[in-house]
Amino acid sequence: MSGRYEKEKRFEDRIAEKLKVSPKIITDYYYHLTGAGRSPMTSYNYLINVMNFLEFTYKNNIPDDFYNEIKASHINKYIASLRTRNVNGKIERTSDSFRAVQWSSLNSFFQFLIPEYIKENPVSYTNRPKMKDKPNVTYLTSEEITQLLRYVELNASDKLVSRDLCWLKLGFSTGLRVSAILQIDIDDIDFENNQIKVTEKGDYDEYIMFGDNLKQQLMECINDRSQIYDNINTNALFVSQIGNRLSVDMLAKALRQYAKNVTNKNVTPHVMRHSCATNLYEKTGDIYLCSKQLNHKNVATTMRYAEISKEKQREATNILDGLI
């Protein structure tokens, strides 16, 4: 199987297992999602959200025609129950965006049922959770990025240094989601035109450009990959030490270990995307350029990433303070 679709196949297998123990209408909904072009990962998340609601409402006795019984009160009760959740024995408040995603999944499902199964969507009689909380926009400054890359260069093992520098530089300089980075195959890289074919969120292909610094790192990564690993069974650009495609969890663990030596910030894989957008916005002030770089369909989405740094805020404060 082509390396690009290894992750999709894993999600398809998970979906197949979930559908075995779900009401038949859930299977119909799954084919509705895939027919509309949803990726296996997105379809899986939708199914999980709907099933969590049904398990909350019916426990372990979900009737096949449950959709005829669901009312707005069931939706409201479920969304209200999501205000907190247990994380490692500790009760934590959930974000507005988390609850909004659950609401949207239910809205999608019940809308699918109209008009063949039900006449009205019960979710339409409820309110989507308002987005009042501020999204997490942790990012690294250009100085912190330099320190992180330098630390990896000096401290990573010989087998990992070129590989890990490569995915770090890809993340910070392109703003690609980590899922897209890890799906890159060697054949996707066009060194003649300095571009890479990637599969973006929404399951569509996109070409991203890269500069000479990243080009050099990509070439070093590929060269070391062929010399260090002799048991590779995938065309993936980034492979683990046992020769398989590098996973998100493995990358996240490595990033966390590296980052704790240069910053006290909570550095997750998505922080690379935050950092790309924020640093680009600070240097250009062009939110539309940032939106294009991140492949956002709506520029309003980009504002979540293009946060102005504390240094810039202090600079603005001093300028305005000078007026008085």
Side-chain angles (χ1 to χ4, degrees):
M1 173 177 293
S2 171
R4 180 188 302 279
Y5 300 105
E6 292 169 359
K7 186 174 182 180
E8 288 190 5
K9 180 61 169 62
R10 289 197 296 272
F11 273 104
E12 289 173 349
D13 292 341
R14 290 185 195 177
I15 290 170
E17 290 301 314
K18 194 68 177 175
L19 292 178
K20 288 179 182 178
V21 295
S22 302
K24 180 182 179 300
I25 194 66
I26 302 297
T27 299
D28 294 341
Y29 177 55
Y30 167 65
Y31 287 117
H32 164 75
L33 292 173
T34 56
R38 301 285 188 181
S39 69
M41 181 167 59
T42 299
S43 299
Y44 177 77
N45 289 333
Y46 272 59
L47 293 184
I48 290 298
N49 293 340
V50 172
M51 287 305 299
N52 284 344
F53 163 72
L54 294 178
E55 289 166 4
F56 171 86
T57 304
Y58 291 101
K59 307 304 179 188
N60 296 320
N61 189 28
I62 306 173
D64 287 337
D65 61 347
F66 64 86
Y67 42 82
N68 289 319
E69 302 176 2
I70 297 298
K71 297 179 173 54
S73 59
H74 294 102
I75 308 296
N76 286 328
K77 184 177 180 181
Y78 177 64
I79 296 300
S81 76
L82 299 176
R83 292 180 66 83
T84 60
R85 59 181 171 179
N86 191 316
V87 180
N88 298 322
K90 182 181 179 181
I91 302 300
E92 296 183 354
R93 177 76 177 268
T94 61
S95 66
D96 295 335
S97 59
F98 170 77
R99 296 191 296 278
V101 166
Q102 309 306 308
W103 184 93
S104 295
S105 296
L106 295 177
N107 187 51
S108 168
F109 172 70
F110 284 101
Q111 194 61 40
F112 150 73
L113 296 175
I114 298 173
E116 187 173 353
Y117 299 96
I118 58 177
K119 294 181 179 180
E120 293 183 308
N121 177 357
V123 183
S124 66
Y125 292 97
T126 68
N127 295 315
R128 185 177 186 271
K130 294 182 178 179
M131 302 287 286
K132 301 186 296 296
D133 52 14
K134 186 176 181 180
N136 179 7
V137 289
T138 300
Y139 69 95
L140 299 185
T141 64
S142 58
E143 292 79 9
E144 288 172 323
I145 293 173
T146 299
Q147 292 171 12
L148 178 59
L149 295 176
R150 183 61 173 164
Y151 178 84
V152 174
E153 184 178 357
L154 295 176
N155 295 280
S157 69
D158 292 341
K159 285 188 175 183
L160 303 179
V161 61
S162 65
R163 182 201 72 176
D164 291 356
L165 282 173
C166 195
W167 55 253
L168 279 165
K169 291 181 179 181
L170 263 168
F172 286 125
S173 68
T174 67
L176 283 173
R177 296 176 178 85
V178 68
S179 57
I181 290 175
L182 294 181
Q183 286 187 53
I184 295 174
D185 290 339
I186 293 177
D187 293 344
D188 295 327
I189 306 173
D190 179 358
F191 284 109
E192 183 175 346
N193 296 299
N194 281 25
Q195 63 182 17
I196 305 174
K197 180 182 178 181
V198 298
T199 302
E200 271 285 21
K201 184 178 180 181
D203 202 28
Y204 69 93
D205 292 336
E206 183 72 42
Y207 287 88
I208 61 107
M209 300 171 63
F210 56 84
D212 290 337
N213 290 333
L214 183 53
K215 180 177 184 177
Q216 181 63 35
Q217 188 64 57
L218 285 164
M219 295 174 68
E220 289 181 14
C221 177
I222 294 173
N223 181 65
D224 289 350
R225 176 188 184 278
S226 62
Q227 293 187 25
I228 294 174
Y229 305 102
D230 57 3
N231 59 339
I232 299 175
N233 55 14
T234 175
N235 193 37
L237 172 62
F238 300 113
V239 295
S240 68
Q241 296 188 68
I242 61 173
N244 296 327
R245 182 179 295 269
L246 192 67
S247 72
V248 173
D249 288 343
M250 287 187 284
L251 183 150
K253 181 178 179 181
L255 178 58
R256 187 166 56 250
Q257 290 296 320
Y258 291 140
K260 73 179 184 181
N261 292 281
V262 298
T263 178
N264 58 5
K265 295 176 181 177
N266 179 29
V267 181
T268 66
H270 212 62
V271 167
M272 294 190 291
R273 185 167 168 85
H274 289 175
S275 303
C276 173
T278 304
N279 283 284
L280 180 60
Y281 183 62
E282 284 192 357
K283 288 177 170 56
T284 66
D286 191 337
I287 193 63
Y288 295 98
L289 176 62
C290 294
S291 183
K292 176 64 176 176
Q293 182 66 33
L294 297 183
N295 285 313
H296 283 159
K297 295 179 179 179
N298 189 333
V299 71
T301 306
T302 315
M303 292 304 300
R304 299 178 59 200
Y305 299 88
E307 284 289 301
I308 301 177
S309 71
K310 294 295 182 182
E311 288 74 15
K312 290 292 184 181
Q313 291 181 38
R314 279 193 285 269
E315 181 181 328
T317 299
N318 291 333
I319 292 173
L320 295 174
D321 190 60
L323 298 176
I324 58 175

